Amino acid sequence: MKKRAVYPGSFDPFTNGHLDILKRALKVFDEVIILVAVQPDKASLFNNDEKVAMIEQSIKGIEGVKVDFSSGLTIDYALKNDAIAIIRGLRAATDFEYEFRMAAGNRYVDTQIDMVFFMADAKYSFVSSSLIKELYSHGVDISALVPKPVKQAFDEKIKKRD
Ligand code: ADP
């Protein structure tokens, strides 16, 4: 049976740090589902459709990946979709605190699904979606930090506003 994992996140936007985790996860798992978390009470720059579209364009040519979105618990999604693991990335000790609690919460719901953590590549350890938005809003070139389709999505959003 194929080893399937779910990689959940806000992805507002998808960054090269996310892409790096995805590629490394695909060396361990046969299939990865990138799961865009639908969070109605969390303000986001990109809507769910925009996020899914920009991720799909960013992963073109990479096999074994699917993009989906869900408003439910990731662990429920993983169970329903026959995944064996939930993937997360760790950048710093501050990520660890949060992830440690999430992992405990998930195990409270179900112990079949394990959480698997990948350490951020040093090149991207400072990259977060909020930093990207901050840099872009101040006119900094973000091209080295996000896939091309994400940079284009930013430019289009700004054009529409003007
Ligand atoms: P969430 O709001 O669920 O944390 P994010 O989109 O911010 O969603 O991140 C999704 C996952 O990717 C998280 O596990 C996060 O720690 C990880 N991640 C984010 N940026 C990076 C990066 N630059 N390198 C490695 N992992 C990252």
Side-chain angles (χ1 to χ4, degrees), residues 7-13 15-18 20-21 37 39 42 87-91 95 98-99 118-121 124-129:
Y7 180 25
S10 308
F11 303 117
D12 188 46
T15 70
N16 282 346
H18 293 131
D20 179 62
I21 297 293
Q39 299 154 309
K42 198 173 159 186
I87 292 163
R88 297 284 289 173
L90 288 178
R91 285 162 294 188
D95 277 347
Y98 174 78
E99 298 296 344
F118 289 86
M119 298 292 170
D121 187 291
Y124 303 123
S125 59
F126 70 99
V127 176
S128 67
S129 298

PDB file of all heavy atoms in Angstrom, residues 7-13 15-18 20-21 37 39 42 87-91 95 98-99 118-121 124-129, ligand 1:
ATOM      1  N   TYR A   7       0.090  17.269   4.391  1.00  0.00           N
ATOM      2  CA  TYR A   7       0.889  18.425   4.811  1.00  0.00           C
ATOM      3  C   TYR A   7      -0.056  19.626   4.924  1.00  0.00           C
ATOM      4  O   TYR A   7      -0.362  20.269   3.928  1.00  0.00           O
ATOM      5  CB  TYR A   7       2.009  18.679   3.795  1.00  0.00           C
ATOM      6  CG  TYR A   7       2.917  19.862   4.114  1.00  0.00           C
ATOM      7  CD1 TYR A   7       3.085  20.325   5.420  1.00  0.00           C
ATOM      8  CD2 TYR A   7       3.619  20.521   3.115  1.00  0.00           C
ATOM      9  CE1 TYR A   7       3.908  21.397   5.711  1.00  0.00           C
ATOM     10  CE2 TYR A   7       4.460  21.597   3.397  1.00  0.00           C
ATOM     11  CZ  TYR A   7       4.592  22.036   4.699  1.00  0.00           C
ATOM     12  OH  TYR A   7       5.405  23.103   4.977  1.00  0.00           O
ATOM     13  N   PRO A   8      -0.535  19.902   6.153  1.00  0.00           N
ATOM     14  CA  PRO A   8      -1.494  20.996   6.327  1.00  0.00           C
ATOM     15  C   PRO A   8      -0.818  22.336   6.623  1.00  0.00           C
ATOM     16  O   PRO A   8       0.303  22.374   7.144  1.00  0.00           O
ATOM     17  CB  PRO A   8      -2.277  20.541   7.562  1.00  0.00           C
ATOM     18  CG  PRO A   8      -1.257  19.817   8.380  1.00  0.00           C
ATOM     19  CD  PRO A   8      -0.260  19.210   7.437  1.00  0.00           C
ATOM     20  N   GLY A   9      -1.521  23.410   6.303  1.00  0.00           N
ATOM     21  CA  GLY A   9      -0.998  24.726   6.645  1.00  0.00           C
ATOM     22  C   GLY A   9      -1.923  25.823   6.180  1.00  0.00           C
ATOM     23  O   GLY A   9      -2.908  25.567   5.469  1.00  0.00           O
ATOM     24  N   SER A  10      -1.596  27.045   6.567  1.00  0.00           N
ATOM     25  CA  SER A  10      -2.377  28.202   6.110  1.00  0.00           C
ATOM     26  C   SER A  10      -1.948  28.587   4.699  1.00  0.00           C
ATOM     27  O   SER A  10      -2.755  29.069   3.912  1.00  0.00           O
ATOM     28  CB  SER A  10      -2.159  29.397   7.044  1.00  0.00           C
ATOM     29  OG  SER A  10      -2.372  29.042   8.376  1.00  0.00           O
ATOM     30  N   PHE A  11      -0.667  28.444   4.418  1.00  0.00           N
ATOM     31  CA  PHE A  11      -0.110  28.719   3.086  1.00  0.00           C
ATOM     32  C   PHE A  11      -0.581  30.074   2.548  1.00  0.00           C
ATOM     33  O   PHE A  11      -1.041  30.182   1.414  1.00  0.00           O
ATOM     34  CB  PHE A  11      -0.456  27.583   2.102  1.00  0.00           C
ATOM     35  CG  PHE A  11       0.008  26.231   2.572  1.00  0.00           C
ATOM     36  CD1 PHE A  11      -0.899  25.209   2.843  1.00  0.00           C
ATOM     37  CD2 PHE A  11       1.362  25.974   2.769  1.00  0.00           C
ATOM     38  CE1 PHE A  11      -0.478  23.960   3.298  1.00  0.00           C
ATOM     39  CE2 PHE A  11       1.803  24.726   3.231  1.00  0.00           C
ATOM     40  CZ  PHE A  11       0.875  23.724   3.491  1.00  0.00           C
ATOM     41  N   ASP A  12      -0.427  31.110   3.367  1.00  0.00           N
ATOM     42  CA  ASP A  12      -0.882  32.457   2.979  1.00  0.00           C
ATOM     43  C   ASP A  12       0.299  33.421   2.872  1.00  0.00           C
ATOM     44  O   ASP A  12       0.414  34.304   3.709  1.00  0.00           O
ATOM     45  CB  ASP A  12      -1.907  32.950   4.003  1.00  0.00           C
ATOM     46  CG  ASP A  12      -2.571  34.245   3.564  1.00  0.00           C
ATOM     47  OD1 ASP A  12      -2.968  34.325   2.399  1.00  0.00           O
ATOM     48  OD2 ASP A  12      -2.691  35.175   4.384  1.00  0.00           O
ATOM     49  N   PRO A  13       1.209  33.247   1.921  1.00  0.00           N
ATOM     50  CA  PRO A  13       1.158  32.342   0.776  1.00  0.00           C
ATOM     51  C   PRO A  13       2.079  31.111   0.979  1.00  0.00           C
ATOM     52  O   PRO A  13       2.805  31.023   1.975  1.00  0.00           O
ATOM     53  CB  PRO A  13       1.758  33.212  -0.327  1.00  0.00           C
ATOM     54  CG  PRO A  13       2.868  33.935   0.400  1.00  0.00           C
ATOM     55  CD  PRO A  13       2.318  34.201   1.778  1.00  0.00           C
ATOM     56  N   THR A  15       5.407  29.200   0.303  1.00  0.00           N
ATOM     57  CA  THR A  15       6.756  29.765   0.143  1.00  0.00           C
ATOM     58  C   THR A  15       7.747  28.690  -0.312  1.00  0.00           C
ATOM     59  O   THR A  15       7.421  27.501  -0.330  1.00  0.00           O
ATOM     60  CB  THR A  15       7.266  30.332   1.492  1.00  0.00           C
ATOM     61  OG1 THR A  15       7.519  29.220   2.375  1.00  0.00           O
ATOM     62  CG2 THR A  15       6.266  31.273   2.134  1.00  0.00           C
ATOM     63  N   ASN A  16       8.971  29.126  -0.587  1.00  0.00           N
ATOM     64  CA  ASN A  16      10.008  28.142  -0.931  1.00  0.00           C
ATOM     65  C   ASN A  16      10.343  27.244   0.261  1.00  0.00           C
ATOM     66  O   ASN A  16      10.831  26.135   0.083  1.00  0.00           O
ATOM     67  CB  ASN A  16      11.279  28.852  -1.416  1.00  0.00           C
ATOM     68  CG  ASN A  16      11.137  29.319  -2.854  1.00  0.00           C
ATOM     69  OD1 ASN A  16      10.212  28.898  -3.566  1.00  0.00           O
ATOM     70  ND2 ASN A  16      12.028  30.187  -3.304  1.00  0.00           N
ATOM     71  N   GLY A  17      10.092  27.730   1.460  1.00  0.00           N
ATOM     72  CA  GLY A  17      10.285  26.901   2.655  1.00  0.00           C
ATOM     73  C   GLY A  17       9.288  25.744   2.655  1.00  0.00           C
ATOM     74  O   GLY A  17       9.645  24.595   2.935  1.00  0.00           O
ATOM     75  N   HIS A  18       8.026  26.050   2.318  1.00  0.00           N
ATOM     76  CA  HIS A  18       6.999  24.992   2.212  1.00  0.00           C
ATOM     77  C   HIS A  18       7.371  24.001   1.109  1.00  0.00           C
ATOM     78  O   HIS A  18       7.241  22.786   1.273  1.00  0.00           O
ATOM     79  CB  HIS A  18       5.628  25.605   1.874  1.00  0.00           C
ATOM     80  CG  HIS A  18       5.029  26.457   2.953  1.00  0.00           C
ATOM     81  ND1 HIS A  18       4.529  27.724   2.720  1.00  0.00           N
ATOM     82  CD2 HIS A  18       4.842  26.223   4.290  1.00  0.00           C
ATOM     83  CE1 HIS A  18       4.040  28.221   3.848  1.00  0.00           C
ATOM     84  NE2 HIS A  18       4.233  27.340   4.816  1.00  0.00           N
ATOM     85  N   ASP A  20      10.276  23.254  -0.071  1.00  0.00           N
ATOM     86  CA  ASP A  20      11.411  22.436   0.341  1.00  0.00           C
ATOM     87  C   ASP A  20      10.955  21.274   1.232  1.00  0.00           C
ATOM     88  O   ASP A  20      11.374  20.122   1.039  1.00  0.00           O
ATOM     89  CB  ASP A  20      12.424  23.327   1.090  1.00  0.00           C
ATOM     90  CG  ASP A  20      13.622  22.527   1.578  1.00  0.00           C
ATOM     91  OD1 ASP A  20      14.339  21.976   0.721  1.00  0.00           O
ATOM     92  OD2 ASP A  20      13.823  22.432   2.805  1.00  0.00           O
ATOM     93  N   ILE A  21      10.059  21.567   2.169  1.00  0.00           N
ATOM     94  CA  ILE A  21       9.533  20.509   3.058  1.00  0.00           C
ATOM     95  C   ILE A  21       8.783  19.471   2.216  1.00  0.00           C
ATOM     96  O   ILE A  21       8.932  18.262   2.409  1.00  0.00           O
ATOM     97  CB  ILE A  21       8.586  21.114   4.142  1.00  0.00           C
ATOM     98  CG1 ILE A  21       9.345  22.082   5.043  1.00  0.00           C
ATOM     99  CG2 ILE A  21       7.886  20.018   4.952  1.00  0.00           C
ATOM    100  CD1 ILE A  21      10.396  21.490   5.940  1.00  0.00           C
ATOM    101  N   ALA A  37      -5.720  24.865   5.044  1.00  0.00           N
ATOM    102  CA  ALA A  37      -6.658  24.948   6.170  1.00  0.00           C
ATOM    103  C   ALA A  37      -7.610  26.116   5.955  1.00  0.00           C
ATOM    104  O   ALA A  37      -7.173  27.253   5.771  1.00  0.00           O
ATOM    105  CB  ALA A  37      -5.879  25.138   7.468  1.00  0.00           C
ATOM    106  N   GLN A  39      -9.787  28.677   7.446  1.00  0.00           N
ATOM    107  CA  GLN A  39      -9.926  29.275   8.782  1.00  0.00           C
ATOM    108  C   GLN A  39     -10.732  30.569   8.674  1.00  0.00           C
ATOM    109  O   GLN A  39     -10.152  31.646   8.486  1.00  0.00           O
ATOM    110  CB  GLN A  39      -8.538  29.572   9.366  1.00  0.00           C
ATOM    111  CG  GLN A  39      -7.680  28.326   9.536  1.00  0.00           C
ATOM    112  CD  GLN A  39      -6.197  28.627   9.496  1.00  0.00           C
ATOM    113  OE1 GLN A  39      -5.706  29.288   8.571  1.00  0.00           O
ATOM    114  NE2 GLN A  39      -5.474  28.131  10.468  1.00  0.00           N
ATOM    115  N   LYS A  42      -9.697  33.638  10.692  1.00  0.00           N
ATOM    116  CA  LYS A  42      -8.318  34.143  10.600  1.00  0.00           C
ATOM    117  C   LYS A  42      -8.189  34.954   9.313  1.00  0.00           C
ATOM    118  O   LYS A  42      -8.477  34.429   8.226  1.00  0.00           O
ATOM    119  CB  LYS A  42      -7.356  32.940  10.591  1.00  0.00           C
ATOM    120  CG  LYS A  42      -5.922  33.313  10.920  1.00  0.00           C
ATOM    121  CD  LYS A  42      -5.074  32.063  11.069  1.00  0.00           C
ATOM    122  CE  LYS A  42      -3.603  32.358  10.890  1.00  0.00           C
ATOM    123  NZ  LYS A  42      -2.774  31.160  10.900  1.00  0.00           N
ATOM    124  N   ILE A  87       2.519  15.875   8.153  1.00  0.00           N
ATOM    125  CA  ILE A  87       3.847  16.489   8.056  1.00  0.00           C
ATOM    126  C   ILE A  87       3.797  17.935   8.526  1.00  0.00           C
ATOM    127  O   ILE A  87       2.859  18.663   8.210  1.00  0.00           O
ATOM    128  CB  ILE A  87       4.308  16.477   6.584  1.00  0.00           C
ATOM    129  CG1 ILE A  87       4.550  15.051   6.152  1.00  0.00           C
ATOM    130  CG2 ILE A  87       5.549  17.335   6.369  1.00  0.00           C
ATOM    131  CD1 ILE A  87       4.599  14.912   4.666  1.00  0.00           C
ATOM    132  N   ARG A  88       4.829  18.339   9.264  1.00  0.00           N
ATOM    133  CA  ARG A  88       4.957  19.758   9.628  1.00  0.00           C
ATOM    134  C   ARG A  88       6.440  20.121   9.517  1.00  0.00           C
ATOM    135  O   ARG A  88       7.307  19.246   9.519  1.00  0.00           O
ATOM    136  CB  ARG A  88       4.477  19.992  11.066  1.00  0.00           C
ATOM    137  CG  ARG A  88       3.014  19.677  11.290  1.00  0.00           C
ATOM    138  CD  ARG A  88       2.070  20.696  10.758  1.00  0.00           C
ATOM    139  NE  ARG A  88       2.097  21.929  11.535  1.00  0.00           N
ATOM    140  CZ  ARG A  88       1.443  23.027  11.176  1.00  0.00           C
ATOM    141  NH1 ARG A  88       0.727  23.057  10.071  1.00  0.00           N
ATOM    142  NH2 ARG A  88       1.503  24.111  11.920  1.00  0.00           N
ATOM    143  N   GLY A  89       6.691  21.407   9.399  1.00  0.00           N
ATOM    144  CA  GLY A  89       8.077  21.874   9.347  1.00  0.00           C
ATOM    145  C   GLY A  89       8.427  22.572  10.648  1.00  0.00           C
ATOM    146  O   GLY A  89       7.565  23.183  11.279  1.00  0.00           O
ATOM    147  N   LEU A  90       9.690  22.485  11.045  1.00  0.00           N
ATOM    148  CA  LEU A  90      10.129  23.162  12.275  1.00  0.00           C
ATOM    149  C   LEU A  90      11.240  24.140  11.943  1.00  0.00           C
ATOM    150  O   LEU A  90      12.249  23.764  11.357  1.00  0.00           O
ATOM    151  CB  LEU A  90      10.666  22.142  13.285  1.00  0.00           C
ATOM    152  CG  LEU A  90       9.669  21.231  13.987  1.00  0.00           C
ATOM    153  CD1 LEU A  90      10.419  20.267  14.906  1.00  0.00           C
ATOM    154  CD2 LEU A  90       8.655  22.026  14.789  1.00  0.00           C
ATOM    155  N   ARG A  91      11.024  25.399  12.277  1.00  0.00           N
ATOM    156  CA  ARG A  91      12.061  26.410  12.002  1.00  0.00           C
ATOM    157  C   ARG A  91      12.857  26.749  13.252  1.00  0.00           C
ATOM    158  O   ARG A  91      14.040  26.939  13.202  1.00  0.00           O
ATOM    159  CB  ARG A  91      11.415  27.691  11.459  1.00  0.00           C
ATOM    160  CG  ARG A  91      10.973  27.563  10.031  1.00  0.00           C
ATOM    161  CD  ARG A  91       9.994  28.612   9.662  1.00  0.00           C
ATOM    162  NE  ARG A  91       8.766  28.412  10.421  1.00  0.00           N
ATOM    163  CZ  ARG A  91       7.654  29.071  10.225  1.00  0.00           C
ATOM    164  NH1 ARG A  91       7.618  30.027   9.327  1.00  0.00           N
ATOM    165  NH2 ARG A  91       6.580  28.825  10.936  1.00  0.00           N
ATOM    166  N   ASP A  95       8.510  27.252  17.092  1.00  0.00           N
ATOM    167  CA  ASP A  95       7.627  26.332  16.372  1.00  0.00           C
ATOM    168  C   ASP A  95       7.414  25.072  17.203  1.00  0.00           C
ATOM    169  O   ASP A  95       6.329  24.515  17.237  1.00  0.00           O
ATOM    170  CB  ASP A  95       8.266  25.892  15.027  1.00  0.00           C
ATOM    171  CG  ASP A  95       8.056  26.896  13.907  1.00  0.00           C
ATOM    172  OD1 ASP A  95       7.220  27.805  14.079  1.00  0.00           O
ATOM    173  OD2 ASP A  95       8.724  26.765  12.867  1.00  0.00           O
ATOM    174  N   TYR A  98       4.530  24.993  19.903  1.00  0.00           N
ATOM    175  CA  TYR A  98       3.201  24.902  19.300  1.00  0.00           C
ATOM    176  C   TYR A  98       2.953  23.504  18.737  1.00  0.00           C
ATOM    177  O   TYR A  98       1.918  22.890  18.989  1.00  0.00           O
ATOM    178  CB  TYR A  98       3.084  25.971  18.212  1.00  0.00           C
ATOM    179  CG  TYR A  98       1.808  25.907  17.410  1.00  0.00           C
ATOM    180  CD1 TYR A  98       0.609  26.398  17.940  1.00  0.00           C
ATOM    181  CD2 TYR A  98       1.787  25.365  16.119  1.00  0.00           C
ATOM    182  CE1 TYR A  98      -0.565  26.329  17.207  1.00  0.00           C
ATOM    183  CE2 TYR A  98       0.615  25.295  15.389  1.00  0.00           C
ATOM    184  CZ  TYR A  98      -0.559  25.774  15.938  1.00  0.00           C
ATOM    185  OH  TYR A  98      -1.711  25.702  15.208  1.00  0.00           O
ATOM    186  N   GLU A  99       3.935  23.015  18.001  1.00  0.00           N
ATOM    187  CA  GLU A  99       3.778  21.705  17.348  1.00  0.00           C
ATOM    188  C   GLU A  99       3.675  20.574  18.367  1.00  0.00           C
ATOM    189  O   GLU A  99       2.964  19.601  18.152  1.00  0.00           O
ATOM    190  CB  GLU A  99       4.951  21.432  16.385  1.00  0.00           C
ATOM    191  CG  GLU A  99       5.076  22.428  15.236  1.00  0.00           C
ATOM    192  CD  GLU A  99       3.894  22.413  14.270  1.00  0.00           C
ATOM    193  OE1 GLU A  99       3.093  21.456  14.279  1.00  0.00           O
ATOM    194  OE2 GLU A  99       3.755  23.384  13.506  1.00  0.00           O
ATOM    195  N   PHE A 118       9.999  17.879   9.737  1.00  0.00           N
ATOM    196  CA  PHE A 118      11.220  18.115   8.966  1.00  0.00           C
ATOM    197  C   PHE A 118      11.802  19.445   9.429  1.00  0.00           C
ATOM    198  O   PHE A 118      11.077  20.430   9.557  1.00  0.00           O
ATOM    199  CB  PHE A 118      10.902  18.189   7.466  1.00  0.00           C
ATOM    200  CG  PHE A 118      10.536  16.851   6.874  1.00  0.00           C
ATOM    201  CD1 PHE A 118       9.240  16.381   6.926  1.00  0.00           C
ATOM    202  CD2 PHE A 118      11.506  16.058   6.275  1.00  0.00           C
ATOM    203  CE1 PHE A 118       8.899  15.143   6.394  1.00  0.00           C
ATOM    204  CE2 PHE A 118      11.178  14.813   5.735  1.00  0.00           C
ATOM    205  CZ  PHE A 118       9.869  14.358   5.791  1.00  0.00           C
ATOM    206  N   MET A 119      13.113  19.433   9.658  1.00  0.00           N
ATOM    207  CA  MET A 119      13.777  20.673  10.082  1.00  0.00           C
ATOM    208  C   MET A 119      13.947  21.579   8.878  1.00  0.00           C
ATOM    209  O   MET A 119      14.383  21.117   7.812  1.00  0.00           O
ATOM    210  CB  MET A 119      15.170  20.366  10.647  1.00  0.00           C
ATOM    211  CG  MET A 119      15.152  19.500  11.870  1.00  0.00           C
ATOM    212  SD  MET A 119      14.432  20.387  13.258  1.00  0.00           S
ATOM    213  CE  MET A 119      14.289  19.023  14.412  1.00  0.00           C
ATOM    214  N   ALA A 120      13.657  22.842   9.054  1.00  0.00           N
ATOM    215  CA  ALA A 120      13.790  23.803   7.954  1.00  0.00           C
ATOM    216  C   ALA A 120      15.231  23.828   7.452  1.00  0.00           C
ATOM    217  O   ALA A 120      16.175  23.741   8.243  1.00  0.00           O
ATOM    218  CB  ALA A 120      13.403  25.194   8.446  1.00  0.00           C
ATOM    219  N   ASP A 121      15.387  23.938   6.154  1.00  0.00           N
ATOM    220  CA  ASP A 121      16.703  24.151   5.567  1.00  0.00           C
ATOM    221  C   ASP A 121      17.186  25.534   6.043  1.00  0.00           C
ATOM    222  O   ASP A 121      16.388  26.484   6.116  1.00  0.00           O
ATOM    223  CB  ASP A 121      16.546  24.137   4.041  1.00  0.00           C
ATOM    224  CG  ASP A 121      17.874  24.181   3.334  1.00  0.00           C
ATOM    225  OD1 ASP A 121      18.557  25.230   3.397  1.00  0.00           O
ATOM    226  OD2 ASP A 121      18.227  23.171   2.713  1.00  0.00           O
ATOM    227  N   TYR A 124      16.064  28.640   4.398  1.00  0.00           N
ATOM    228  CA  TYR A 124      14.680  29.111   4.533  1.00  0.00           C
ATOM    229  C   TYR A 124      14.221  29.219   5.982  1.00  0.00           C
ATOM    230  O   TYR A 124      13.039  29.440   6.240  1.00  0.00           O
ATOM    231  CB  TYR A 124      13.734  28.154   3.790  1.00  0.00           C
ATOM    232  CG  TYR A 124      14.074  27.975   2.334  1.00  0.00           C
ATOM    233  CD1 TYR A 124      14.330  26.718   1.798  1.00  0.00           C
ATOM    234  CD2 TYR A 124      14.160  29.084   1.494  1.00  0.00           C
ATOM    235  CE1 TYR A 124      14.652  26.556   0.458  1.00  0.00           C
ATOM    236  CE2 TYR A 124      14.486  28.937   0.152  1.00  0.00           C
ATOM    237  CZ  TYR A 124      14.729  27.667  -0.359  1.00  0.00           C
ATOM    238  OH  TYR A 124      15.056  27.519  -1.677  1.00  0.00           O
ATOM    239  N   SER A 125      15.146  29.059   6.915  1.00  0.00           N
ATOM    240  CA  SER A 125      14.706  28.996   8.312  1.00  0.00           C
ATOM    241  C   SER A 125      14.079  30.319   8.776  1.00  0.00           C
ATOM    242  O   SER A 125      13.327  30.333   9.748  1.00  0.00           O
ATOM    243  CB  SER A 125      15.853  28.589   9.220  1.00  0.00           C
ATOM    244  OG  SER A 125      16.880  29.516   9.081  1.00  0.00           O
ATOM    245  N   PHE A 126      14.377  31.403   8.075  1.00  0.00           N
ATOM    246  CA  PHE A 126      13.788  32.693   8.474  1.00  0.00           C
ATOM    247  C   PHE A 126      12.519  33.001   7.682  1.00  0.00           C
ATOM    248  O   PHE A 126      11.849  33.999   7.938  1.00  0.00           O
ATOM    249  CB  PHE A 126      14.808  33.824   8.259  1.00  0.00           C
ATOM    250  CG  PHE A 126      15.068  34.126   6.798  1.00  0.00           C
ATOM    251  CD1 PHE A 126      14.441  35.193   6.172  1.00  0.00           C
ATOM    252  CD2 PHE A 126      15.912  33.325   6.051  1.00  0.00           C
ATOM    253  CE1 PHE A 126      14.658  35.458   4.826  1.00  0.00           C
ATOM    254  CE2 PHE A 126      16.137  33.586   4.698  1.00  0.00           C
ATOM    255  CZ  PHE A 126      15.510  34.647   4.086  1.00  0.00           C
ATOM    256  N   VAL A 127      12.170  32.135   6.728  1.00  0.00           N
ATOM    257  CA  VAL A 127      11.049  32.430   5.831  1.00  0.00           C
ATOM    258  C   VAL A 127       9.720  32.008   6.450  1.00  0.00           C
ATOM    259  O   VAL A 127       9.537  30.854   6.823  1.00  0.00           O
ATOM    260  CB  VAL A 127      11.233  31.711   4.466  1.00  0.00           C
ATOM    261  CG1 VAL A 127      10.022  31.934   3.575  1.00  0.00           C
ATOM    262  CG2 VAL A 127      12.501  32.192   3.776  1.00  0.00           C
ATOM    263  N   SER A 128       8.820  32.974   6.560  1.00  0.00           N
ATOM    264  CA  SER A 128       7.450  32.674   6.996  1.00  0.00           C
ATOM    265  C   SER A 128       6.511  33.428   6.070  1.00  0.00           C
ATOM    266  O   SER A 128       6.907  34.419   5.443  1.00  0.00           O
ATOM    267  CB  SER A 128       7.228  33.137   8.439  1.00  0.00           C
ATOM    268  OG  SER A 128       7.284  34.547   8.501  1.00  0.00           O
ATOM    269  N   SER A 129       5.274  32.975   5.997  1.00  0.00           N
ATOM    270  CA  SER A 129       4.299  33.647   5.131  1.00  0.00           C
ATOM    271  C   SER A 129       4.124  35.102   5.558  1.00  0.00           C
ATOM    272  O   SER A 129       4.019  35.997   4.721  1.00  0.00           O
ATOM    273  CB  SER A 129       2.959  32.917   5.182  1.00  0.00           C
ATOM    274  OG  SER A 129       3.117  31.604   4.689  1.00  0.00           O
TER     275      SER A 129
HETATM  276  P1  ADP B   1       0.207  27.140   9.972  1.00  0.00           P
HETATM  277  O1  ADP B   1      -0.619  28.393  10.132  1.00  0.00           O
HETATM  278  O2  ADP B   1      -0.597  25.885  10.049  1.00  0.00           O
HETATM  279  O3  ADP B   1       1.458  27.084  10.815  1.00  0.00           O
HETATM  280  P2  ADP B   1       1.939  27.736   7.710  1.00  0.00           P
HETATM  281  O4  ADP B   1       1.511  27.863   6.294  1.00  0.00           O
HETATM  282  O5  ADP B   1       2.497  28.931   8.370  1.00  0.00           O
HETATM  283  O6  ADP B   1       0.650  27.172   8.447  1.00  0.00           O
HETATM  284  O7  ADP B   1       2.991  26.558   7.843  1.00  0.00           O
HETATM  285  C1  ADP B   1       2.674  25.237   7.519  1.00  0.00           C
HETATM  286  C2  ADP B   1       3.797  24.334   8.019  1.00  0.00           C
HETATM  287  O8  ADP B   1       5.001  24.615   7.310  1.00  0.00           O
HETATM  288  C3  ADP B   1       4.137  24.531   9.498  1.00  0.00           C
HETATM  289  O9  ADP B   1       4.491  23.282  10.049  1.00  0.00           O
HETATM  290  C4  ADP B   1       5.321  25.450   9.477  1.00  0.00           C
HETATM  291  O10 ADP B   1       6.145  25.292  10.623  1.00  0.00           O
HETATM  292  C5  ADP B   1       6.029  24.961   8.213  1.00  0.00           C
HETATM  293  N1  ADP B   1       6.867  25.999   7.627  1.00  0.00           N
HETATM  294  C6  ADP B   1       6.512  27.266   7.321  1.00  0.00           C
HETATM  295  N2  ADP B   1       7.551  27.934   6.776  1.00  0.00           N
HETATM  296  C7  ADP B   1       8.579  27.063   6.735  1.00  0.00           C
HETATM  297  C8  ADP B   1       9.952  27.151   6.317  1.00  0.00           C
HETATM  298  N3  ADP B   1      10.469  28.291   5.854  1.00  0.00           N
HETATM  299  N4  ADP B   1      10.714  26.062   6.416  1.00  0.00           N
HETATM  300  C9  ADP B   1      10.213  24.916   6.937  1.00  0.00           C
HETATM  301  N5  ADP B   1       8.944  24.757   7.366  1.00  0.00           N
HETATM  302  C10 ADP B   1       8.139  25.821   7.273  1.00  0.00           C
END
